[in-house]
Amino acid sequence: MKTRVLGKDLTVSAVGLGCMGFSHAYGAPTEEKETVGLLRQAVELGYTFFDTAEVYGTAEDPHANERLVGEALAPFRDQVVIATKFGLRFDFESGKVPLPLIPDSRPETIRKSVEGSLRRLRTDHIDLYFQHRIDPDVSPEEVAGVMADLIQEGKITHWGISEVNEEYLRRANAVCPVTAVQNRYSMMARRYEPLFPVLEELGIGLVAFSPMANGFLTGQYGKDSKFDPKNDYRSTMPQFSAQAVEQNRALLDLLQKMAQQKKATPAQISMAWMLCKKPWIVPIPGTRKPQRMEENAGSADVILTPAEVQAIDDALDHMEMSAVFGVIR
């Protein structure tokens, strides 16, 4: 697979693998041996960038995802880049789906988190350590100071921030240079595009999570699709409602038309659009199916011209769309 550079010097596969879905949010967790096998198959397909977090798990095993990623990638540790996250926990006691988020980026919490992640990931360093969500009670300068110390100690080599705004990013970056931000970004979620000039100015990459709007942009889901309300977040995501499928018809038709023109799939077009927009954007779609891993990797080979990207943007600007999970319209 082609590669890209995040920040100044972190080389990763042009498409990464979001590992959350193996253990969290998209139905019952995948069986552990199968998960390990699928992650190793991703390496064989050319993925070198794997994204996890200390909280991607279940109430019974809240750290399951990191543990499985560590086991799967241990034989390839010098060939892969592992990103994980600190500063967030899920409220499993609420009984709600999606689980409420509780931020905590106090220095003592970060210190405890990094040691746990290193142990579960079976490594002596984390390649890219993301603050999972901004903690309003801890300043960006204090968080960045801890990151600088962890880099000095060799426990992490790069750091980033997820769902960040310009002010917080600038303040944090002034203390310890940020390699990447990880923000929700897709054709249905473009609210962070005004941040792009700042990323270019500061030399910071964008790791795009939910690049297919939680799978909706694959075009594989219809108004009769059903999801388990106990453990599948899609059961409450507005883009998967029966009404939304009709509201998003123009978007799905656009993807299908471009896919036919480029001899690609709608999923590949949805990611080629962002890959061809900026050389420092790296999407991290998640999947538990080998054929989808291969399909997603192929997005990096689909070329859209600047004029085609602009035409898509213009169409999106004037297109009716439903609400989408994680975005306030």
Side-chain angles (χ1 to χ4, degrees):
M1 197 191 305
K2 297 175 182 176
T3 60
R4 296 197 158 196
V5 177
L6 295 172
K8 303 298 188 292
D9 61 1
L10 186 61
T11 301
V12 298
S13 51
V15 178
L17 182 63
C19 300
M20 181 183 76
F22 289 109
S23 311
H24 180 82
Y26 289 92
T30 306
E31 192 273 326
E32 293 197 356
K33 184 179 291 187
E34 183 182 357
T35 296
V36 170
L38 288 167
L39 287 167
R40 290 177 176 174
Q41 192 167 347
V43 176
E44 294 172 2
L45 288 170
Y47 287 88
T48 65
F49 185 35
F50 295 81
D51 179 86
T52 182
E54 65 174 344
V55 293
Y56 292 162
T58 64
E60 296 74 28
D61 190 358
H63 307 304
N65 203 256
E66 276 191 334
R67 179 172 51 80
L68 291 169
V69 168
E71 178 183 348
L73 300 182
F76 315 100
R77 185 62 188 96
D78 61 346
Q79 303 170 37
V80 298
V81 170
I82 298 176
T84 193
K85 309 178 191 75
F86 68 89
L88 190 70
R89 62 185 175 88
F90 293 122
D91 182 3
F92 283 104
E93 304 301 319
S94 69
K96 297 179 180 179
V97 176
L99 296 168
L101 307 177
I102 303 173
D104 182 359
S105 287
R106 292 172 296 170
E108 60 268 30
T109 301
I110 297 173
R111 284 284 179 180
K112 182 179 179 181
S113 292
V114 75
E115 296 300 335
S117 291
L118 286 168
R119 183 177 63 254
R120 289 185 292 271
L121 291 168
R122 303 188 185 188
T123 185
D124 61 356
H125 72 281
I126 294 165
D127 300 298
L128 182 53
Y129 202 34
F130 281 110
Q131 183 181 16
H132 208 155
R133 290 293 186 274
I134 291 173
D135 183 343
D137 296 326
V138 182
S139 73
E141 289 83 2
E142 190 169 12
V143 173
V146 178
M147 296 299 106
D149 290 342
L150 293 177
I151 291 172
Q152 184 67 30
E153 295 164 19
K155 293 181 178 179
I156 70 174
T157 59
H158 305 79
W159 84 289
I161 312 168
S162 184
E163 295 281 70
V164 70
N165 57 58
E166 180 179 351
E167 179 191 3
Y168 192 99
L169 179 60
R170 286 189 181 277
R171 289 171 60 185
N173 187 71
V175 174
C176 183
V178 174
T179 292
V181 302
Q182 185 174 139
N183 289 351
R184 184 183 303 276
Y185 186 52
S186 73
M187 289 180 168
M188 297 184 75
R190 298 168 63 202
R191 63 176 172 173
Y192 286 110
E193 286 185 350
L195 191 63
F196 286 6
V198 179
L199 299 180
E200 291 194 312
E201 173 195 338
L202 300 178
I204 296 172
L206 170 64
V207 175
F209 75 87
S210 296
M212 292 181 284
N214 308 98
F216 181 81
L217 298 180
T218 63
Q220 298 296 310
Y221 299 95
K223 56 186 177 182
D224 297 323
S225 297
K226 304 294 182 184
F227 306 98
D228 187 342
K230 293 181 181 180
N231 54 23
D232 196 321
Y233 285 15
R234 289 171 294 186
S235 64
T236 61
M237 290 181 182
Q239 67 266 38
F240 290 101
S241 68
Q243 179 183 5
V245 172
E246 292 307 315
Q247 284 180 292
N248 297 315
R249 182 58 55 196
L251 174 57
L252 295 175
D253 287 347
L254 172 66
L255 283 167
Q256 189 62 50
K257 179 181 177 181
M258 289 294 299
Q260 291 174 353
Q261 291 176 0
K262 296 293 181 178
K263 294 181 172 55
T265 67
Q268 289 174 331
I269 296 298
S270 72
M271 286 187 287
W273 163 77
M274 64 179 71
L275 285 163
C276 295
K277 182 173 290 201
K278 299 291 183 182
W280 37 261
I281 295 178
V282 176
I284 51 167
T287 184
R288 298 193 261 188
K289 298 178 180 178
Q291 65 269 31
R292 296 295 180 215
M293 286 184 191
E294 187 170 4
E295 177 184 347
N296 293 342
S299 302
D301 297 319
V302 178
I303 304 301
L304 302 179
T305 67
E308 288 171 329
V309 171
Q310 186 60 55
I312 292 174
D313 283 350
D314 292 343
L316 296 175
D317 287 340
H318 300 92
M319 189 177 287
E320 179 188 2
M321 292 186 197
S322 72
V324 61
F325 177 69
V327 177
I328 298 174
R329 294 194 184 279

